[in-house]
Amino acid sequence: MAEQSNRKDESDELLKRADALLTRMRGAGTPAAGSAAREIPTLTEAAAAQGTDPGIPTLTEIVPAERLPSMPASTGEVISRVQAQNLEHTLYQRLKRDLDQQITQIVKERFMPDIGTALDAALAKISMDVKADINSMVRASIEETLRAQMKNLRKPVDTETAPQEAEAAAGGRASADPSPFAAALAKSYEPAAIEARWYSTWEKNGYFRAGLDESNPQCYCILLPPPNVTGTLHMGHAFQHTLMDALTRYHRMRGYNTLWQPGTDHAGIATQIVVERQLEAEGISRRALGRDAFVERVWRWKEESGSAITRQMRRLGASCDWARERFTMDEGLSAVVTEVFVRLHEQGLIYRGKRLVNWDPVLKSAVSDLEVESEEEDGTLWHIRYPLASGAAFLVVATTRPETMLGDVAVAVHPDDARYQAYVGKEVLLPLTGRRIPVIADDYVDPAFGSGCVKITPAHDFNDYQVGLRHRLEPWPIFTLDARLNDNAPAAYRGLDRYEAREKVLADLKDQGLIAQVVPHKLMVPRCGRTGAVVEPMLTDQWFVKMDSLAKAGLDAVARGEVRFVPENWTATYNDWLTRIQDWCISRQLWWGHRIPAWYDSEGNIFVARTKQEAQARHRQAMLERVRAGVRVTASDLRHDEDVLDTWFSSALWPFSTLGWPADNPALRMYLPSSVLVTGFDIIFFWVARMVMMTLPFTGKAPFREVYITGLVRDAEGQKMSKSKGNILDPLDIVDGIGPEALIEKRTASLMDPRQAEAIAAATRRQYPKGIPAFGTDALRFTFASLASHGRDVKFDLSRCDGYRNFCNKLWNATRFVLMNCAGSDTGIDEQLPVEPSVADRWIVSRLQRAEAEAQRAFREYRFDNLARAIYELTWDEYCDWYVELAKVQLAAGGEARSRATRRTLARVLETILRLAHPVIPFITEALWQKVAPLAGKHGPSVMLARYPEPQREKLDEAAEREIALLKDLTNACRTLRSEMNVAPSQKLPLLIQGDRGRLEAFAPYLVALARLAEVVIVEGPLPAAGAPVSIVGDYRLMLKIEVDTSAERERLHKERLRLEAEIAKAQAKLENRDFIGRAPPLIVAQEKERLARFAATLAKVNEQLQQLA
RNA sequence: GGGUGCUUAGCUCAGCUGGUAGAGCGUCGCCCUUACAAGGCGAAGGUCGGGAGUUCGAGACUCUCAGCACCCACCA
């Protein structure tokens, strides 16, 4: 089926037809329709008309006037390109929101009803998918309008051919009035506006397309773990997709051939269940509908909801090659599935047989071991007496599932168990059935548990099955496929459900006095991961893949290092599973999935073939041979196997089925093995290991070189996000924001258990009283990156998003600053002109080199947290906090060459930062790069096509780094001094510094500006004594020269001095008084002396302070 | 029962081959300084889960104990 690839064509086709219809109606169509249709403008007309044609609504009719940006009057005023871009951008943003709605509205209102209905249906059908196309139509229209507008607005000078002049003219105004360039970027960062604009541009221009240049030896490929086709994007996807997109964009920018292979999975069980529920809601049963109709129905559901997840991925900026999108049930991929099945069967690696499998009685299908999830539940251990056939004695067996006793074929004891040795080989009478069953001895029995006797039910227990095989006991199945008792059970129990049977068995045993003991017991209950039904081991005919040789190859591939896990410790998990693997049950008794390519004749012979024709041919061949051998045969038609394959069977083939295998082609040659698989640990077994095992034998190559295992995304409390817990977050709600009511509505809708709704609503209200603000895609992606450290689950905390949105805002504003100062000015693009880089310029370039090296290492090691940090710190802590501030000083004071160097550095470093950050935050970097790149001498349609910076070690300038470190220290020391001295922020003071005069003279202007000083006074020799504390930084001693108003302080100190002097005088007088000395006790005299000394000391301090203030 | 992680500031987490404990958010104080209040400057806050060992020196290495989380296998 080519539905996927046809979708876009279909949409285009519909649009075209709609357009054609419009044109016809507008033209010489039927008179009635013609007049009505004349009122409906094309988008271009709507945007361009502006009231020129009374028959066509103007822009303001479609969009309320107050929503339109003010347009300059058409008076021949000069408009700069930046202005025009800005105008276009704003206009586009505001229009975009309203237009498609408005158009639909107008169409509805003004079209004749019959056509209207048809078009309505068409619009409704395409509206979602076509949004992007409408966007580009709107864009095109607006571009057209603006071009027309600019013709009127522009001076005769053509800015296209003389951009320097035009920019210079605008730049000249910028110095006096920065508005043109401030306006070039909105005052603050608004993600929605940017994001809407760029994705379609990238996609339209084919930037995501796979590189197929075979002369380039560097190829980079990531396989998207195909999400469920009918699913929606959750936080785990968003997290992993962010990392994959960053990796893809990084390597694309490094010049690799790049492919991010997208696609979706048919997700057999999950999808079938969803559609079955829909049918139930309509009161239709799947079986009543019939297989073909049901499958048809699932396809329809897939068509309706199938693109939801890929639309969401686009919102996150995922740069997949959508043209190569695949679906596991596409014709091509289905053919690969059949081919692989047939080949494996030919090699004897697929077989069919009656085996004990995990059976879901609700789904009525086998499920694989992996799909069974055991959970501890409270149960009971019943001790039941089995009377010996020979006499009055009993053997007591313990069981948690008494109903299965009806299928018992033996009682087992441990061979060394002295208590029971006498009974081995004897028989017991199985209660309720009257069957006689043997007592056997087997190591499997744990004498310490229960009574030491185990009932053996081979047909419904995996361990018992093994015991049965060892002792050649015939299994005695007692359940039907929906877990009711079958005819092997005594008549009284037939038809009962397994739990009803349990009750009845227990009651009957009790009546017969055969229950010896009832003990509460915790046990693990195996449930199907999908339906939650308790799984019943069941003997059924199923298809299996023989795993031993495949597993061996899978283990070897990892051991040889062909596939490497990151972090490495997952290798152990992988190895452990593969060494203990059992044969893989691949048949499912479902309707939605790949039909097993096997046919049966009336005698039950199996013919595995690629097509029915092939199977028939083999059948005829076999019959001929038997006829020749003289066997009588009856002709019969072949019956197709009813079962479908496990979803994971087709997923296991993903690495080569998506690349056009088995046909040799460039993509297969270049992108297998793929570079890295990014996924969660939860599908190492389901998918990762199976891809390794299936890809190796069919292609001789590993499916991927590395497997990066991400953590799981949990909520802020560390809980797993799940619908039933009501703690799910939709990544797009973080991007776009959501109100509290809508969020609660979302979380409580379609709950399995509606009683939880209230608790969830309350918890949600508590946690998000105001809902979730819009953070934008970039902030979300940056957050994911920063949380992606190794070996840890991710507790998703919205406050981190907050921080990273602020980062985006910082980047935005830094760019505004650079544009204000550099746009229209000389940024040193002409290498002939003299430049005079300062130590600050050299420093920031050096820091940039370090950050680039760190980023490169982070990508190599999948340390996205370090990557995010490197970018964050460089941008904020170095570039914005320091370099930009230093640059202000240089621009204010420097000569022409120094200013040119400063602007050059400002622009070039920012431009590099934008490229550096682009893999993580693609949207904002693209928007800003468009403005910054020309200033840095770079040109190109997209930052995506610009090369990622290569770190160049030799450019590290440690001398400059030391100098700036010193300058930072000095600045901080000044700030400390100011705060210690309680100097008002507005107050400027001179700073006295003693130290290397040459350096200080270089630092002085920066210090004056950054530390808000009046001047820097360089002091030879020791610093003069003064009131301020002295700071020491390295070899430098510095102090503020306080010239603040100290009169109040002086007055206070003066008063204090007077008081002290008075006290001292009094004390001295006392001590000089002979009467006092003579009569007072010595202790008192000593005290008085102490007092005097204390006063004297305090007075000395006060005097010192006064002197300092003076 | 087997395995794998984790335990560092109020919260979320960094901390590479052992060498003076870090970031973001939150809190508090002062500033609406001409890119940015989604900002700037500053401050408080930690015997790095407990114990032992190796070492001149341990958040890091070894052992042990405890707690938390997850995976696998299971005793009927």
Side-chain angles (χ1 to χ4, degrees), chain A residues 222-428:
Chain A
I222 292 185
L223 302 167
L224 176 76
N228 182 346
V229 65
T230 60
T232 53
L233 197 78
H234 59 64
M235 291 296 279
H237 290 131
F239 177 47
Q240 291 172 0
H241 294 175
T242 297
L243 305 186
M244 283 184 255
D245 191 46
L247 285 167
T248 306
R249 285 177 187 266
Y250 169 72
H251 286 94
R252 194 184 281 123
M253 288 173 79
R254 292 291 303 273
Y256 283 61
N257 275 316
T258 307
L259 166 63
W260 184 5
Q261 173 65 51
T264 47
D265 188 85
H266 67 281
I269 300 180
T271 309
Q272 172 155 339
I273 288 176
V274 169
V275 176
E276 232 169 311
R277 288 221 180 107
Q278 290 176 354
L279 286 174
E280 268 170 39
E282 296 168 27
I284 311 170
S285 93
R286 165 167 70 99
R287 293 187 192 274
L289 197 61
R291 181 166 190 148
D292 291 344
F294 179 79
V295 170
E296 179 55 34
R297 172 86 190 220
V298 181
W299 274 107
R300 230 163 53 220
W301 163 241
K302 183 252 166 189
E303 293 307 322
E304 281 166 29
S305 68
S307 54
I309 195 155
T310 54
R311 264 198 319 271
Q312 289 173 313
M313 285 183 68
R314 286 176 162 91
R315 286 296 316 277
L316 286 175
S319 60
C320 308
D321 182 356
W322 295 108
R324 296 187 64 95
E325 186 178 349
R326 296 289 185 272
F327 175 51
T328 46
M329 296 244 292
D330 279 349
E331 260 177 66
L333 268 61
S334 298
V336 173
V337 167
T338 306
E339 182 65 31
V340 166
F341 187 97
V342 172
R343 286 198 198 179
L344 282 174
H345 183 260
E346 283 165 358
Q347 295 163 20
L349 290 174
I350 280 184
Y351 64 93
R352 182 178 154 89
K354 204 180 203 61
R355 296 283 185 285
L356 199 59
V357 294
N358 294 297
W359 182 266
D360 181 333
V362 171
L363 200 61
K364 295 199 192 64
S365 170
V367 293
S368 77
D369 305 348
L370 286 174
E371 285 159 312
V372 176
E373 291 166 9
S374 291
E375 230 175 286
E376 192 172 78
E377 289 178 20
D378 288 322
T380 312
L381 192 59
W382 284 277
H383 293 240
I384 303 171
R385 296 196 181 100
Y386 282 15
L388 281 163
S390 54
F394 295 99
L395 279 186
V396 175
V397 301
T399 179
T400 53
R401 301 200 51 200
E403 70 278 13
T404 61
M405 65 165 289
L406 302 175
D408 284 359
V409 296
V411 170
V413 298
H414 194 273
D416 302 335
D417 194 333
R419 292 174 293 174
Y420 301 115
Q421 254 162 14
Y423 303 106
V424 174
K426 301 258 165 59
E427 283 186 318
V428 295

Side-chain angles (χ1 to χ4, degrees), chain A residues 554-555 557-559 561-575 578 676-677 679-681 683-685 687-689 692 704-709 790 862:
Chain A
L555 285 166
V558 170
E562 272 176 58
V563 176
R564 198 171 72 89
F565 281 88
V566 180
E568 255 174 275
N569 50 296
W570 292 107
T571 314
T573 310
Y574 171 90
N575 288 340
L578 279 188
V676 63
L677 181 76
T679 192
F681 73 89
I683 53 173
I684 289 182
F685 306 145
W687 194 45
V688 179
V692 177
F704 26 72
R705 293 194 190 88
E706 297 190 320
V707 183
Y708 172 55
I709 301 290
H790 284 184
Y862 303 101

